[in-house]
Amino acid sequence: MKIICIGRNYVDHIKELNNAIPSSPVFFLKPDTALLIRNRPFYYPPFSHEIHYEVELVMKINKVGKNIQKQFAHTYYDEIGIGLDMTARDIQDAAKQKGLPWAIAKGFDQSAPVGKFLPKAHFADLKNIDFHLDLNGKTVQHGNSSLMMYDFDDILVHISQYMTVRTGDYIFTGTPAGVGPVKIGDKLEAFVEREKLLSCLIK
Ligand code: MG
């Protein structure tokens, strides 16, 4: 199983981090050891002092695919959920400055909490899925799939040119604006269409 994450898929978030709008989807990987499931707590890692949350819609791959064509892309996933692309922003900023990879900043243990999934049939329109993240009961990020520059199908078409997707892979589809730091004792709760699918305590 692998975890593929799209970076820079919402214009408002690109602006908040002063990044350029990409001409094709930017993506990176997290190892399977990043996965955190069943609402288990996230333990603040000792090597960072600036861990940020990034709430993202997540698609779960249901079959093997390579060079997926747009018209068939929708058949490669049948569940949508929500996850947190936990990021060591201090380490990422240092890596960006030096032109170094993001492996530590994005791929450390537990950096991918993932919640419950909903069948695609649950949604009236995949291009209009509302989601939000609460930090200690206050909404800090709000997104809608209509605001993605590259939709679920576009993402699969792009990634599968380079990497075969397999059953059980997760694809994080990018974060909207509002990312920010967490501290020990915080509680993160992520919702899709007002249904709470993920809860994560920072320990
Ligand atoms: Mg992200």
mmCIF file of all heavy atoms in Angstrom, residues 127-165:
data_model
loop_
_atom_site.group_PDB
_atom_site.id
_atom_site.type_symbol
_atom_site.label_atom_id
_atom_site.label_comp_id
_atom_site.label_asym_id
_atom_site.label_seq_id
_atom_site.Cartn_x
_atom_site.Cartn_y
_atom_site.Cartn_z
ATOM 1 N N LYS A 127 -18.250 16.435 -7.594
ATOM 2 C CA LYS A 127 -17.646 17.751 -7.825
ATOM 3 C C LYS A 127 -18.229 18.810 -6.891
ATOM 4 O O LYS A 127 -18.027 20.001 -7.098
ATOM 5 C CB LYS A 127 -17.835 18.178 -9.282
ATOM 6 C CG LYS A 127 -17.025 17.343 -10.271
ATOM 7 C CD LYS A 127 -17.268 17.839 -11.693
ATOM 8 C CE LYS A 127 -16.698 16.903 -12.742
ATOM 9 N NZ LYS A 127 -15.239 16.863 -12.802
ATOM 10 N N ASN A 128 -18.949 18.366 -5.883
ATOM 11 C CA ASN A 128 -19.513 19.307 -4.917
ATOM 12 C C ASN A 128 -19.592 18.646 -3.537
ATOM 13 O O ASN A 128 -20.672 18.506 -2.960
ATOM 14 C CB ASN A 128 -20.887 19.787 -5.393
ATOM 15 C CG ASN A 128 -21.466 20.861 -4.496
ATOM 16 O OD1 ASN A 128 -20.741 21.525 -3.749
ATOM 17 N ND2 ASN A 128 -22.774 21.023 -4.539
ATOM 18 N N ILE A 129 -18.431 18.219 -3.038
ATOM 19 C CA ILE A 129 -18.367 17.591 -1.713
ATOM 20 C C ILE A 129 -17.815 18.617 -0.729
ATOM 21 O O ILE A 129 -16.706 19.136 -0.911
ATOM 22 C CB ILE A 129 -17.459 16.349 -1.717
ATOM 23 C CG1 ILE A 129 -17.988 15.296 -2.692
ATOM 24 C CG2 ILE A 129 -17.356 15.771 -0.306
ATOM 25 C CD1 ILE A 129 -17.061 14.086 -2.837
ATOM 26 N N ASP A 130 -18.593 18.881 0.282
ATOM 27 C CA ASP A 130 -18.200 19.866 1.278
ATOM 28 C C ASP A 130 -17.448 19.171 2.416
ATOM 29 O O ASP A 130 -17.813 18.063 2.809
ATOM 30 C CB ASP A 130 -19.465 20.533 1.828
ATOM 31 C CG ASP A 130 -19.246 21.999 2.086
ATOM 32 O OD1 ASP A 130 -19.017 22.728 1.101
ATOM 33 O OD2 ASP A 130 -19.274 22.408 3.269
ATOM 34 N N PHE A 131 -16.421 19.802 2.934
ATOM 35 C CA PHE A 131 -15.703 19.206 4.063
ATOM 36 C C PHE A 131 -15.101 20.305 4.925
ATOM 37 O O PHE A 131 -14.885 21.429 4.457
ATOM 38 C CB PHE A 131 -14.634 18.210 3.582
ATOM 39 C CG PHE A 131 -13.524 18.788 2.748
ATOM 40 C CD1 PHE A 131 -12.278 19.053 3.299
ATOM 41 C CD2 PHE A 131 -13.715 19.043 1.394
ATOM 42 C CE1 PHE A 131 -11.239 19.573 2.531
ATOM 43 C CE2 PHE A 131 -12.687 19.576 0.614
ATOM 44 C CZ PHE A 131 -11.449 19.826 1.186
ATOM 45 N N HIS A 132 -14.878 19.964 6.194
ATOM 46 C CA HIS A 132 -14.235 20.955 7.055
ATOM 47 C C HIS A 132 -13.485 20.286 8.197
ATOM 48 O O HIS A 132 -13.678 19.100 8.488
ATOM 49 C CB HIS A 132 -15.246 21.984 7.567
ATOM 50 C CG HIS A 132 -16.237 21.485 8.576
ATOM 51 N ND1 HIS A 132 -17.432 20.902 8.226
ATOM 52 C CD2 HIS A 132 -16.210 21.511 9.932
ATOM 53 C CE1 HIS A 132 -18.103 20.587 9.332
ATOM 54 N NE2 HIS A 132 -17.386 20.936 10.381
ATOM 55 N N LEU A 133 -12.632 21.070 8.828
ATOM 56 C CA LEU A 133 -11.833 20.589 9.952
ATOM 57 C C LEU A 133 -12.052 21.505 11.146
ATOM 58 O O LEU A 133 -11.962 22.731 11.020
ATOM 59 C CB LEU A 133 -10.340 20.597 9.585
ATOM 60 C CG LEU A 133 -9.396 20.153 10.723
ATOM 61 C CD1 LEU A 133 -9.520 18.656 10.976
ATOM 62 C CD2 LEU A 133 -7.944 20.515 10.397
ATOM 63 N N ASP A 134 -12.338 20.896 12.280
ATOM 64 C CA ASP A 134 -12.450 21.652 13.530
ATOM 65 C C ASP A 134 -11.225 21.395 14.402
ATOM 66 O O ASP A 134 -10.771 20.252 14.537
ATOM 67 C CB ASP A 134 -13.695 21.230 14.321
ATOM 68 C CG ASP A 134 -14.982 21.768 13.705
ATOM 69 O OD1 ASP A 134 -14.917 22.449 12.671
ATOM 70 O OD2 ASP A 134 -16.046 21.476 14.281
ATOM 71 N N LEU A 135 -10.703 22.468 14.973
ATOM 72 C CA LEU A 135 -9.614 22.371 15.956
ATOM 73 C C LEU A 135 -10.196 22.826 17.292
ATOM 74 O O LEU A 135 -10.624 23.983 17.415
ATOM 75 C CB LEU A 135 -8.451 23.277 15.528
ATOM 76 C CG LEU A 135 -7.307 23.465 16.529
ATOM 77 C CD1 LEU A 135 -6.558 22.169 16.789
ATOM 78 C CD2 LEU A 135 -6.337 24.545 16.033
ATOM 79 N N ASN A 136 -10.255 21.900 18.236
ATOM 80 C CA ASN A 136 -10.846 22.188 19.553
ATOM 81 C C ASN A 136 -12.237 22.809 19.422
ATOM 82 O O ASN A 136 -12.586 23.764 20.119
ATOM 83 C CB ASN A 136 -9.917 23.103 20.364
ATOM 84 C CG ASN A 136 -8.539 22.479 20.542
ATOM 85 O OD1 ASN A 136 -8.417 21.252 20.677
ATOM 86 N ND2 ASN A 136 -7.506 23.300 20.525
ATOM 87 N N GLY A 137 -13.016 22.256 18.483
ATOM 88 C CA GLY A 137 -14.411 22.675 18.346
ATOM 89 C C GLY A 137 -14.646 23.890 17.478
ATOM 90 O O GLY A 137 -15.792 24.290 17.267
ATOM 91 N N LYS A 138 -13.587 24.483 16.946
ATOM 92 C CA LYS A 138 -13.732 25.668 16.103
ATOM 93 C C LYS A 138 -13.266 25.333 14.685
ATOM 94 O O LYS A 138 -12.186 24.765 14.505
ATOM 95 C CB LYS A 138 -12.869 26.800 16.688
ATOM 96 C CG LYS A 138 -12.945 28.109 15.935
ATOM 97 C CD LYS A 138 -12.208 29.202 16.728
ATOM 98 C CE LYS A 138 -12.105 30.489 15.924
ATOM 99 N NZ LYS A 138 -10.976 30.526 14.995
ATOM 100 N N THR A 139 -14.077 25.687 13.692
ATOM 101 C CA THR A 139 -13.723 25.357 12.311
ATOM 102 C C THR A 139 -12.525 26.192 11.849
ATOM 103 O O THR A 139 -12.546 27.422 11.931
ATOM 104 C CB THR A 139 -14.927 25.590 11.373
ATOM 105 O OG1 THR A 139 -15.987 24.735 11.808
ATOM 106 C CG2 THR A 139 -14.570 25.261 9.922
ATOM 107 N N VAL A 140 -11.480 25.488 11.381
ATOM 108 C CA VAL A 140 -10.265 26.176 10.929
ATOM 109 C C VAL A 140 -10.026 26.012 9.424
ATOM 110 O O VAL A 140 -9.311 26.821 8.822
ATOM 111 C CB VAL A 140 -9.013 25.697 11.710
ATOM 112 C CG1 VAL A 140 -9.020 26.253 13.130
ATOM 113 C CG2 VAL A 140 -8.903 24.176 11.730
ATOM 114 N N GLN A 141 -10.575 24.967 8.833
ATOM 115 C CA GLN A 141 -10.454 24.794 7.388
ATOM 116 C C GLN A 141 -11.803 24.367 6.836
ATOM 117 O O GLN A 141 -12.500 23.541 7.447
ATOM 118 C CB GLN A 141 -9.436 23.708 7.032
ATOM 119 C CG GLN A 141 -7.987 24.122 7.185
ATOM 120 C CD GLN A 141 -7.061 23.095 6.539
ATOM 121 O OE1 GLN A 141 -6.737 22.096 7.152
ATOM 122 N NE2 GLN A 141 -6.644 23.343 5.309
ATOM 123 N N HIS A 142 -12.134 24.921 5.687
ATOM 124 C CA HIS A 142 -13.374 24.557 5.024
ATOM 125 C C HIS A 142 -13.085 24.441 3.543
ATOM 126 O O HIS A 142 -12.463 25.330 2.953
ATOM 127 C CB HIS A 142 -14.440 25.625 5.298
ATOM 128 C CG HIS A 142 -15.721 25.354 4.594
ATOM 129 N ND1 HIS A 142 -16.204 26.157 3.600
ATOM 130 C CD2 HIS A 142 -16.589 24.328 4.719
ATOM 131 C CE1 HIS A 142 -17.335 25.641 3.143
ATOM 132 N NE2 HIS A 142 -17.589 24.540 3.799
ATOM 133 N N GLY A 143 -13.497 23.331 2.945
ATOM 134 C CA GLY A 143 -13.228 23.137 1.524
ATOM 135 C C GLY A 143 -14.412 22.530 0.810
ATOM 136 O O GLY A 143 -15.364 22.053 1.432
ATOM 137 N N ASN A 144 -14.321 22.560 -0.517
ATOM 138 C CA ASN A 144 -15.340 21.913 -1.336
ATOM 139 C C ASN A 144 -14.633 21.387 -2.579
ATOM 140 O O ASN A 144 -13.792 22.095 -3.165
ATOM 141 C CB ASN A 144 -16.440 22.913 -1.707
ATOM 142 C CG ASN A 144 -17.608 22.225 -2.396
ATOM 143 O OD1 ASN A 144 -17.483 21.750 -3.520
ATOM 144 N ND2 ASN A 144 -18.729 22.156 -1.711
ATOM 145 N N SER A 145 -14.972 20.170 -2.980
ATOM 146 C CA SER A 145 -14.274 19.559 -4.122
ATOM 147 C C SER A 145 -14.463 20.375 -5.404
ATOM 148 O O SER A 145 -13.679 20.229 -6.342
ATOM 149 C CB SER A 145 -14.723 18.113 -4.321
ATOM 150 O OG SER A 145 -16.102 18.060 -4.564
ATOM 151 N N SER A 146 -15.463 21.229 -5.441
ATOM 152 C CA SER A 146 -15.655 22.082 -6.626
ATOM 153 C C SER A 146 -14.485 23.049 -6.811
ATOM 154 O O SER A 146 -14.284 23.586 -7.906
ATOM 155 C CB SER A 146 -16.956 22.881 -6.499
ATOM 156 O OG SER A 146 -16.873 23.779 -5.410
ATOM 157 N N LEU A 147 -13.716 23.281 -5.734
ATOM 158 C CA LEU A 147 -12.614 24.251 -5.786
ATOM 159 C C LEU A 147 -11.266 23.607 -6.110
ATOM 160 O O LEU A 147 -10.232 24.281 -6.169
ATOM 161 C CB LEU A 147 -12.515 24.988 -4.446
ATOM 162 C CG LEU A 147 -13.789 25.752 -4.037
ATOM 163 C CD1 LEU A 147 -13.676 26.266 -2.612
ATOM 164 C CD2 LEU A 147 -14.066 26.887 -5.008
ATOM 165 N N MET A 148 -11.277 22.274 -6.320
ATOM 166 C CA MET A 148 -10.031 21.595 -6.683
ATOM 167 C C MET A 148 -9.658 21.973 -8.122
ATOM 168 O O MET A 148 -10.509 21.940 -9.009
ATOM 169 C CB MET A 148 -10.221 20.064 -6.591
ATOM 170 C CG MET A 148 -10.411 19.553 -5.172
ATOM 171 S SD MET A 148 -11.172 17.893 -5.088
ATOM 172 C CE MET A 148 -9.884 16.862 -5.705
ATOM 173 N N MET A 149 -8.396 22.289 -8.346
ATOM 174 C CA MET A 149 -7.964 22.577 -9.718
ATOM 175 C C MET A 149 -7.950 21.292 -10.549
ATOM 176 O O MET A 149 -8.259 21.297 -11.728
ATOM 177 C CB MET A 149 -6.572 23.208 -9.705
ATOM 178 C CG MET A 149 -6.564 24.588 -9.058
ATOM 179 S SD MET A 149 -5.017 25.437 -9.346
ATOM 180 C CE MET A 149 -3.916 24.391 -8.448
ATOM 181 N N TYR A 150 -7.573 20.192 -9.899
ATOM 182 C CA TYR A 150 -7.581 18.878 -10.560
ATOM 183 C C TYR A 150 -8.532 17.983 -9.772
ATOM 184 O O TYR A 150 -8.333 17.778 -8.568
ATOM 185 C CB TYR A 150 -6.170 18.279 -10.583
ATOM 186 C CG TYR A 150 -5.198 19.171 -11.303
ATOM 187 C CD1 TYR A 150 -4.354 20.026 -10.599
ATOM 188 C CD2 TYR A 150 -5.159 19.196 -12.702
ATOM 189 C CE1 TYR A 150 -3.492 20.887 -11.264
ATOM 190 C CE2 TYR A 150 -4.296 20.058 -13.365
ATOM 191 C CZ TYR A 150 -3.465 20.890 -12.648
ATOM 192 O OH TYR A 150 -2.614 21.740 -13.309
ATOM 193 N N ASP A 151 -9.558 17.464 -10.437
ATOM 194 C CA ASP A 151 -10.549 16.655 -9.714
ATOM 195 C C ASP A 151 -10.041 15.214 -9.545
ATOM 196 O O ASP A 151 -8.940 14.876 -9.985
ATOM 197 C CB ASP A 151 -11.923 16.738 -10.393
ATOM 198 C CG ASP A 151 -11.965 16.078 -11.772
ATOM 199 O OD1 ASP A 151 -11.060 15.272 -12.106
ATOM 200 O OD2 ASP A 151 -12.921 16.373 -12.517
ATOM 201 N N PHE A 152 -10.844 14.377 -8.902
ATOM 202 C CA PHE A 152 -10.419 13.006 -8.598
ATOM 203 C C PHE A 152 -9.927 12.283 -9.861
ATOM 204 O O PHE A 152 -8.890 11.625 -9.847
ATOM 205 C CB PHE A 152 -11.571 12.213 -7.976
ATOM 206 C CG PHE A 152 -12.101 12.798 -6.697
ATOM 207 C CD1 PHE A 152 -13.411 13.267 -6.613
ATOM 208 C CD2 PHE A 152 -11.300 12.890 -5.563
ATOM 209 C CE1 PHE A 152 -13.903 13.804 -5.423
ATOM 210 C CE2 PHE A 152 -11.783 13.430 -4.372
ATOM 211 C CZ PHE A 152 -13.090 13.884 -4.311
ATOM 212 N N ASP A 153 -10.691 12.407 -10.939
ATOM 213 C CA ASP A 153 -10.343 11.697 -12.178
ATOM 214 C C ASP A 153 -9.054 12.255 -12.793
ATOM 215 O O ASP A 153 -8.182 11.495 -13.220
ATOM 216 C CB ASP A 153 -11.499 11.792 -13.186
ATOM 217 C CG ASP A 153 -12.741 11.049 -12.716
ATOM 218 O OD1 ASP A 153 -12.671 10.351 -11.675
ATOM 219 O OD2 ASP A 153 -13.780 11.163 -13.389
ATOM 220 N N ASP A 154 -8.933 13.583 -12.808
ATOM 221 C CA ASP A 154 -7.701 14.211 -13.342
ATOM 222 C C ASP A 154 -6.466 13.710 -12.593
ATOM 223 O O ASP A 154 -5.416 13.448 -13.187
ATOM 224 C CB ASP A 154 -7.732 15.739 -13.145
ATOM 225 C CG ASP A 154 -8.823 16.434 -13.952
ATOM 226 O OD1 ASP A 154 -9.207 15.911 -15.004
ATOM 227 O OD2 ASP A 154 -9.273 17.512 -13.504
ATOM 228 N N ILE A 155 -6.607 13.624 -11.273
ATOM 229 C CA ILE A 155 -5.485 13.208 -10.420
ATOM 230 C C ILE A 155 -5.035 11.790 -10.785
ATOM 231 O O ILE A 155 -3.846 11.518 -10.947
ATOM 232 C CB ILE A 155 -5.893 13.295 -8.932
ATOM 233 C CG1 ILE A 155 -5.997 14.761 -8.502
ATOM 234 C CG2 ILE A 155 -4.924 12.527 -8.035
ATOM 235 C CD1 ILE A 155 -6.668 14.974 -7.145
ATOM 236 N N LEU A 156 -6.010 10.888 -10.943
ATOM 237 C CA LEU A 156 -5.681 9.504 -11.275
ATOM 238 C C LEU A 156 -5.030 9.385 -12.645
ATOM 239 O O LEU A 156 -4.078 8.620 -12.828
ATOM 240 C CB LEU A 156 -6.961 8.658 -11.263
ATOM 241 C CG LEU A 156 -7.244 7.924 -9.970
ATOM 242 C CD1 LEU A 156 -8.528 7.130 -10.113
ATOM 243 C CD2 LEU A 156 -6.096 6.978 -9.632
ATOM 244 N N VAL A 157 -5.534 10.135 -13.600
ATOM 245 C CA VAL A 157 -4.963 10.120 -14.953
ATOM 246 C C VAL A 157 -3.495 10.547 -14.878
ATOM 247 O O VAL A 157 -2.614 9.897 -15.450
ATOM 248 C CB VAL A 157 -5.760 11.063 -15.894
ATOM 249 C CG1 VAL A 157 -5.011 11.286 -17.211
ATOM 250 C CG2 VAL A 157 -7.152 10.505 -16.149
ATOM 251 N N HIS A 158 -3.250 11.604 -14.112
ATOM 252 C CA HIS A 158 -1.885 12.141 -14.032
ATOM 253 C C HIS A 158 -0.939 11.173 -13.317
ATOM 254 O O HIS A 158 0.108 10.798 -13.861
ATOM 255 C CB HIS A 158 -1.907 13.493 -13.318
ATOM 256 C CG HIS A 158 -0.559 14.129 -13.252
ATOM 257 N ND1 HIS A 158 0.046 14.697 -14.340
ATOM 258 C CD2 HIS A 158 0.327 14.244 -12.229
ATOM 259 C CE1 HIS A 158 1.244 15.151 -14.001
ATOM 260 N NE2 HIS A 158 1.436 14.893 -12.724
ATOM 261 N N ILE A 159 -1.322 10.760 -12.108
ATOM 262 C CA ILE A 159 -0.431 9.902 -11.306
ATOM 263 C C ILE A 159 -0.119 8.600 -12.037
ATOM 264 O O ILE A 159 1.028 8.153 -12.045
ATOM 265 C CB ILE A 159 -1.082 9.603 -9.938
ATOM 266 C CG1 ILE A 159 -1.068 10.854 -9.052
ATOM 267 C CG2 ILE A 159 -0.379 8.444 -9.233
ATOM 268 C CD1 ILE A 159 -1.871 10.695 -7.772
ATOM 269 N N SER A 160 -1.145 7.995 -12.650
ATOM 270 C CA SER A 160 -0.974 6.641 -13.213
ATOM 271 C C SER A 160 -0.122 6.626 -14.476
ATOM 272 O O SER A 160 0.225 5.562 -14.974
ATOM 273 C CB SER A 160 -2.337 5.992 -13.460
ATOM 274 O OG SER A 160 -3.007 6.638 -14.529
ATOM 275 N N GLN A 161 0.230 7.810 -14.986
ATOM 276 C CA GLN A 161 1.221 7.846 -16.080
ATOM 277 C C GLN A 161 2.587 7.429 -15.579
ATOM 278 O O GLN A 161 3.410 6.932 -16.331
ATOM 279 C CB GLN A 161 1.387 9.273 -16.611
ATOM 280 C CG GLN A 161 0.213 9.893 -17.278
ATOM 281 C CD GLN A 161 0.582 11.331 -17.654
ATOM 282 O OE1 GLN A 161 1.354 11.576 -18.575
ATOM 283 N NE2 GLN A 161 0.037 12.274 -16.913
ATOM 284 N N TYR A 162 2.823 7.712 -14.280
ATOM 285 C CA TYR A 162 4.161 7.509 -13.711
ATOM 286 C C TYR A 162 4.221 6.339 -12.737
ATOM 287 O O TYR A 162 5.247 5.683 -12.611
ATOM 288 C CB TYR A 162 4.602 8.781 -12.957
ATOM 289 C CG TYR A 162 4.502 10.020 -13.789
ATOM 290 C CD1 TYR A 162 3.428 10.900 -13.628
ATOM 291 C CD2 TYR A 162 5.450 10.304 -14.762
ATOM 292 C CE1 TYR A 162 3.329 12.052 -14.403
ATOM 293 C CE2 TYR A 162 5.352 11.454 -15.542
ATOM 294 C CZ TYR A 162 4.288 12.319 -15.358
ATOM 295 O OH TYR A 162 4.192 13.445 -16.125
ATOM 296 N N MET A 163 3.148 6.148 -11.979
ATOM 297 C CA MET A 163 3.126 5.131 -10.934
ATOM 298 C C MET A 163 1.851 4.328 -11.043
ATOM 299 O O MET A 163 0.757 4.895 -11.102
ATOM 300 C CB MET A 163 3.150 5.783 -9.536
ATOM 301 C CG MET A 163 4.466 6.411 -9.211
ATOM 302 S SD MET A 163 4.427 7.090 -7.543
ATOM 303 C CE MET A 163 5.855 8.162 -7.671
ATOM 304 N N THR A 164 1.999 3.008 -11.034
ATOM 305 C CA THR A 164 0.835 2.127 -11.010
ATOM 306 C C THR A 164 0.120 2.297 -9.678
ATOM 307 O O THR A 164 0.769 2.304 -8.627
ATOM 308 C CB THR A 164 1.308 0.667 -11.166
ATOM 309 O OG1 THR A 164 1.989 0.553 -12.413
ATOM 310 C CG2 THR A 164 0.149 -0.310 -11.119
ATOM 311 N N VAL A 165 -1.191 2.471 -9.731
ATOM 312 C CA VAL A 165 -1.955 2.476 -8.479
ATOM 313 C C VAL A 165 -2.471 1.066 -8.233
ATOM 314 O O VAL A 165 -2.700 0.308 -9.171
ATOM 315 C CB VAL A 165 -3.118 3.502 -8.494
ATOM 316 C CG1 VAL A 165 -2.575 4.918 -8.571
ATOM 317 C CG2 VAL A 165 -4.112 3.224 -9.605
#
